Amino acid sequence: MNDSEARGAQAHGTTAAPGGGARSGRAPGAKAPDAGRRSERSRRAIYDAALAMVAEAGYARTTIEGIASRAGVGKQTIYRWWPSKSAVLLEAYLDLADRAAGGETAIPDTGDLAADLKAVLRATVDEMNDPVYDGPTRALAAEGVVDPALGAQFVEKLLEPSLRLYADRLRAAEEAGGLRPKLDLRIALELFVGPLMHRWLLRTLPLTHAYADTLVDYALGGLAPHD
C-alpha cells in the first residue's frame, strides 16, 4: 500500500490486513454496536414518551412528532414500527399492563374464592390509583368512546383477556360446588369489576381495599349455592 492508499484507508477507518485484505479500525476485542439492544432502548423510550404524553395532554393533543421528540428518536423510526398514533399508544399500554401483571396468566386458586378475588381486586385498586396507570387508562378509555376502532381494539386486546381470567376462576369455583350451577359467568364477573370501574371512572367515592373487599362479599352472597 502506498502513502496515498494508506491515508485513504485510515480516513475510512480500515487498514490493510496481512495478505492484502481489509480489517476494521475498531480496537481489538471491541464489540460491534448491538442493533437489537439499541432498537429495544428506542422502543422502550417511545412507549414511555407516548404514555407520559397521553396522560399529560390527552389523546387528541398527543402527536407522533411529540412522542418522537420526547423519546429522542426520529418520527420515521416510529412510522417504521407503527402505522398510527393509536397503534403506538395501544401497544405501549399493553406493554405497561403486561409488566404490571408480572407474568401472571391466571387468578390464583387457593381454594378460597373470596380471598382470591379480594387479592386480585386489591391489586387492581392499587393499579387504578397509581398515576402511571391512571392517566393513560383514562385517556384511552375516553378516546375509545368517540373512536369505535380504537375502543374495539382496547376491549379485544386488553379488557377481554383480563375478564377471561375472572371467568376461568369463577368456573373453577362453580365446578367445585362453591357457586350456584349454570351461572352466566359474564354477568357474575361484572358484579366484581363493574362497580370498581364505575367508581374509578366517575370518581364518585374513594377507591379502596375496603371497597374491593365489600364488593366481593356482596357479590358472592348472591352467587353462593342456595340451601
Side-chain angles (χ1 to χ4, degrees), residues 132-159:
V132 172
Y133 303 97
D134 179 80
T137 307
R138 288 185 183 279
L140 287 170
E143 187 62 22
V145 173
V146 297
D147 182 344
L150 178 63
Q153 290 186 70
F154 191 82
V155 169
E156 176 190 353
K157 295 182 179 179
L158 182 74
L159 188 57

Side-chain angles (χ1 to χ4, degrees), residues 7 11-12 43 52 55 68 73 90 96 105 111 123 134-135 148 166 168 204 227:
R7 284 193 297 272
H12 287 85
R43 186 178 296 272
V73 302
L90 188 61
L96 181 69
T105 58
D134 179 80
Y166 284 92
D168 291 344
T204 53
D227 294 331

Side-chain angles (χ1 to χ4, degrees), residues 174 177-183 221-226:
E174 182 182 31
L179 297 177
R180 295 204 315 266
K182 299 181 180 179
L183 286 172
L223 299 173
H226 296 311

Side-chain angles (χ1 to χ4, degrees), residues 29-223:
K31 294 182 178 179
D34 188 333
R37 183 177 299 173
R38 185 168 61 247
S39 293
E40 180 56 29
R41 283 199 302 267
S42 296
R43 186 178 296 272
R44 180 65 53 201
I46 291 166
Y47 285 166
D48 293 343
L51 293 172
M53 283 201 69
V54 79
E56 294 169 9
Y59 184 89
R61 296 177 63 185
T62 298
T63 64
I64 292 292
E65 291 76 9
I67 295 171
S69 176
R70 188 162 187 156
V73 302
K75 67 179 182 179
Q76 290 306 317
T77 297
I78 296 179
Y79 282 122
R80 187 165 61 247
W81 290 338
W82 296 279
S84 64
K85 175 179 73 174
S86 63
V88 179
L89 288 166
L90 188 61
E91 186 173 311
Y93 191 86
L94 290 172
D95 174 75
L96 181 69
D98 285 344
R99 284 185 284 149
E104 292 287 343
T105 58
I107 294 176
D109 186 348
T110 65
D112 185 337
L113 178 60
D116 294 343
L117 291 173
K118 287 177 181 180
V120 74
L121 285 183
R122 283 184 172 212
T124 302
V125 165
D126 291 341
E127 184 176 309
M128 288 176 159
N129 286 329
D130 186 339
V132 172
Y133 303 97
D134 179 80
T137 307
R138 288 185 183 279
L140 287 170
E143 187 62 22
V145 173
V146 297
D147 182 344
L150 178 63
Q153 290 186 70
F154 191 82
V155 169
E156 176 190 353
K157 295 182 179 179
L158 182 74
L159 188 57
E160 285 297 337
S162 176
L163 295 180
R164 281 196 292 271
L165 302 184
Y166 284 92
D168 291 344
R169 181 64 186 89
L170 292 175
R171 184 179 296 107
E174 182 182 31
E175 292 171 351
L179 297 177
R180 295 204 315 266
K182 299 181 180 179
L183 286 172
D184 184 320
L185 295 180
R186 182 65 180 225
I187 294 176
L189 69 87
E190 288 176 350
L191 296 176
F192 303 99
V193 299
L196 204 69
M197 291 299 294
H198 178 273
R199 182 173 285 203
W200 168 78
L201 185 62
L202 300 181
R203 295 189 174 105
T204 53
L205 288 169
L207 199 60
T208 64
H209 286 179
Y211 176 65
D213 290 351
T214 302
L215 283 180
V216 173
D217 291 337
Y218 283 12
L220 287 184
L223 299 173

